[in-house]
Amino acid sequence: MFKTARFNHMIHLWKSWNLFEVLWLLTFLSLGCVITFVQQDTWFNFTVLLSGILCVVLAAKGNILNYVFGLFNSCAYAWICYQNGLYGEMGLNLFFFVPTALIGIWLWKKHTQTTQLQFARSISFKQLSIIMLLNLIGIAVLGYALMQISSQNNPFIDATTNLLAITATILMLYRFKEQWWFYIALNLFSILLWAFRTMDGSGDGVMMLLMWTAFLINAIYGFYNWHRLAKIKPVSA
């Protein structure tokens, strides 16, 4: 019975993909393969790209399985960040994204049907303003702290991506559509961060640039999907 239900969930998952999602997935995975062969990049980096892409597109679709792929991606990406002297990103993925993925599964479970989220929420302008102010303060404090680490690269950009990621993840846990505004900003700063690392000679840079570009396109699509989900009236609070 359990195996049959799980199989039915997987069939429902793949049948729910539209043409844009399939083309987006195949395009960036194909580019990832090209980069792997041409630059003789590692297949480990490709698995980071693959798990990240599956994670974010499932999040955009409001599917709880995004957290499963996110667990692997967070651990693997943390290792890449450690090798590139991005200790804020490393700590964020290991000590924030891993536990919040488990929390996310628990919080989303009662609002899903066949792994699909049924509705989303929206926050007020006042709440959004407070969140943005707290982000600015947090970026200044964390950026200064990261500056004290001699091998740290791009401390304030690293701090910015950390605070934006934390904010977006918390909003996602509670199913707020405004998470995607923060994810869009996060992706833009992450592209900037890895552009600097690529110019500094990082061998991981090109694949990470591809991944964050894919994430940016997906975040815009995710906001469109979640804006629609936020219009759905929940049966119960």
Side-chain angles (χ1 to χ4, degrees):
M1 180 71 72
F2 174 74
K3 288 184 178 179
T4 302
R6 185 170 58 181
F7 178 75
N8 289 337
H9 286 170
M10 292 304 295
I11 293 296
H12 174 78
L13 169 64
W14 297 118
K15 279 186 175 181
S16 69
W17 287 60
N18 61 38
L19 181 61
F20 169 80
E21 293 163 349
V22 172
L23 290 176
W24 174 84
L25 176 69
L26 293 178
T27 297
F28 281 97
L29 289 184
S30 298
L31 289 171
C33 287
V34 170
I35 291 172
T36 300
F37 283 111
V38 172
Q39 288 209 320
Q40 296 184 333
D41 206 334
T42 66
W43 284 106
F44 175 76
N45 282 356
F46 181 78
T47 65
V48 177
L49 173 70
L50 174 61
S51 60
I53 282 178
L54 289 173
C55 172
V56 298
V57 74
L58 289 172
K61 290 166 67 64
N63 193 293
I64 196 172
L65 293 178
N66 80 85
Y67 288 113
V68 176
F69 291 103
L71 278 170
F72 173 81
N73 181 262
S74 295
C75 294
Y77 184 63
W79 173 248
I80 292 176
C81 290
Y82 170 75
Q83 292 181 311
N84 281 270
L86 300 173
Y87 303 119
E89 286 281 282
M90 179 196 73
L92 174 72
N93 279 268
L94 283 181
F95 305 119
F96 182 75
F97 283 153
V98 169
T100 53
L102 300 174
I103 295 170
I105 293 172
W106 176 65
L107 288 176
W108 276 36
K109 196 171 182 181
K110 58 185 177 181
H111 299 288
T112 59
Q113 185 177 351
T114 60
T115 73
Q116 181 62 42
L117 192 65
Q118 296 302 296
F119 67 94
R121 304 159 70 189
S122 187
I123 58 178
S124 68
F125 178 77
K126 180 180 179 180
Q127 290 171 320
L128 186 61
S129 299
I130 293 171
I131 290 171
M132 292 176 68
L133 177 60
L134 291 174
N135 267 260
L136 291 174
I137 295 171
I139 289 168
V141 172
L142 180 58
Y144 178 78
L146 291 174
M147 278 183 64
Q148 311 313 308
I149 304 174
S150 58
S151 55
Q152 167 72 39
N153 292 308
N154 311 108
F156 281 97
I157 301 178
D158 196 357
T160 301
T161 58
N162 271 247
L163 267 295
L164 289 172
I166 290 171
T167 302
T169 302
I170 292 172
L171 292 176
M172 180 178 170
L173 288 177
Y174 291 99
R175 311 178 315 284
F176 286 110
K177 71 174 185 181
E178 287 79 10
Q179 63 170 296
W180 294 106
W181 295 351
F182 289 92
Y183 275 126
I184 289 169
L186 164 65
N187 296 331
L188 288 170
F189 276 103
S190 295
I191 289 170
L192 180 63
L193 180 66
W194 283 104
F196 282 128
R197 297 302 305 128
T198 302
M199 288 188 288
D200 288 339
S202 170
D204 304 310
V206 176
M207 188 69 83
M208 295 303 102
L209 278 171
L210 178 66
M211 183 178 77
W212 286 106
T213 301
F215 288 1
L216 174 60
I217 295 171
N218 181 75
I220 297 169
Y221 176 66
F223 179 78
Y224 165 78
N225 267 352
W226 280 62
H227 184 69
R228 177 181 54 81
L229 279 172
K231 292 181 178 180
I232 298 174
K233 212 169 185 182
V235 176
S236 59

